Amino acid sequence: MLIGLIAAIVACVGYGVASVLQAYGARKSAAAAEQRGEAGHVTATGGPTLRSTFAAALTASFILGTVLDAVGFAGSAISARLIPLFLSQTVVSANLVITAVLGTVVLGIQLHRRDWFAIAAVIGSLLLLGLSSGHAGGGSSNDVVHWGVLVGSALILSIGIGLIRWLGSRAAVVAGLISGVLFGCLAIAVRVVYGIDPFEIGTMLRDPAGWAILVSGLGGFYLHTVALQLGSVNGATAALVVGETVVPGIVGVVVLGDASRPGLEWLAIVGFVGAIAGAVAVAVFGAASHEGKPAEEVTV
């Protein structure tokens, strides 16, 4: 349990700092392209093109953020195998707090009293989850689960790309939410995949869940990058938090046998719902603050 919690905290810090660095890189890339008068960085609906997303990913700060994402992934994977997913993913999702606070320094984001209340609600809810968490269930030998997470990841990614094309500049929260769902699928795939213990790469590659790790991981990374280009880093990250917490939390309890401590089920539910509600509040407040800024402030 302790190792799993430490791994989740490492993932939390890695993902939180990474989001801010990647948002900084995305904004600087967009501002530089605008100053050079380059075309082809925005679609007809106002969303970022694949070219602009690729350009943002090549900035120094974005690359450093990607390295921290890799650290976060390692911590998240370890925690997903050792502690209940509803606890693992919720602790990892607390990177929202790090993103919000660090964003005030690096990105010049102003946090209002309502933002701090929402952040405090997330932290308090995480404490309740930690107190109520019980044992982690195992994996699953059911082929339906292994194929389901692969097919589900591919379908969710396709829906996300379609919505971004349709919504354009209004797709920030949607892109963040769907990237979170994909990261949630990633956690499920890591829990159930064959070939981890003992490590056998051949076994992993023959398992649909192994391919689901690639689809959900790369797809979630791409959609999160798009979300950071389109909107508030706090709003996009908070939406991601909801997606990556709800899906694996429910699947972990219903399918994989995760459980809370006997008699403390109600406390786990309160903590889980409170953390999600706090994240939703930060997403709504962050999106509202972002929309209220002049265009020149958004792109610097």
Side-chain angles (χ1 to χ4, degrees):
M1 173 70 80
L2 180 59
I3 294 176
L5 279 174
I6 292 174
I9 292 171
V10 169
C12 169
V13 175
Y15 282 144
V17 177
S19 291
V20 174
L21 290 175
Q22 289 165 343
Y24 180 81
R27 293 184 180 193
K28 285 299 182 182
S29 176
E34 184 177 350
Q35 290 176 358
R36 293 192 299 266
E38 295 181 0
H41 284 264
V42 180
T43 64
T45 56
T49 62
L50 186 60
R51 175 185 174 186
S52 68
T53 302
F54 185 71
L58 290 179
T59 61
S61 58
F62 201 102
I63 292 173
L64 178 57
T66 303
V67 172
L68 290 175
D69 269 335
V71 174
F73 170 75
S76 180
I78 293 172
S79 66
R81 301 283 296 194
L82 297 178
I83 59 179
L85 288 178
F86 67 82
L87 175 61
S88 166
Q89 292 307 108
T90 309
V91 171
V92 171
S93 296
N95 68 76
L96 164 67
V97 177
I98 295 174
T99 297
V101 175
L102 189 59
T104 63
V105 179
V106 178
L107 303 175
I109 296 173
Q110 182 179 0
L111 293 180
H112 303 285
R113 182 177 300 177
R114 63 188 184 186
D115 300 302
W116 288 113
F117 277 133
I119 289 172
V122 173
I123 295 175
S125 298
L126 288 176
L127 292 176
L128 295 181
L129 269 176
L131 291 172
S132 61
S133 178
H135 73 276
S140 174
S141 59
N142 191 334
D143 288 342
V144 173
V145 175
H146 289 247
W147 278 104
V149 70
L150 173 58
V151 174
S153 297
L155 182 60
I156 292 167
L157 176 59
S158 300
I159 292 173
I161 293 174
L163 286 174
I164 289 172
R165 290 180 177 273
W166 178 45
L167 294 173
S169 60
R170 300 169 295 166
V173 172
V174 171
L177 177 63
I178 296 180
S179 68
V181 174
L182 285 170
F183 286 136
C185 292
L186 173 63
I188 297 169
V190 167
R191 168 70 76 83
V192 303
V193 67
Y194 300 134
I196 294 290
D197 186 21
F199 182 75
E200 297 177 355
I201 187 65
T203 300
M204 190 179 297
L205 291 176
R206 288 191 296 270
D207 186 354
W211 291 100
I213 292 175
L214 289 178
V215 173
S216 57
L218 294 176
F221 179 80
Y222 168 70
L223 291 181
H224 185 47
T225 302
V226 171
L228 292 175
Q229 290 178 280
L230 287 173
S232 158
V233 63
N234 290 348
T237 303
L240 181 149
V241 162
V242 175
E244 74 175 348
T245 304
V246 174
V247 174
I250 293 175
V251 172
V253 171
V254 175
V255 179
L256 303 179
D258 291 345
S260 60
R261 292 183 181 179
L264 293 180
E265 293 84 0
W266 64 273
L267 192 61
I269 294 173
V270 170
F272 188 71
V273 173
I276 295 170
V280 170
V282 174
V284 172
F285 297 152
S289 298
H290 183 81
E291 290 172 359
K293 291 183 179 180
E296 61 269 20
E297 291 186 19
V298 175
T299 56
V300 295

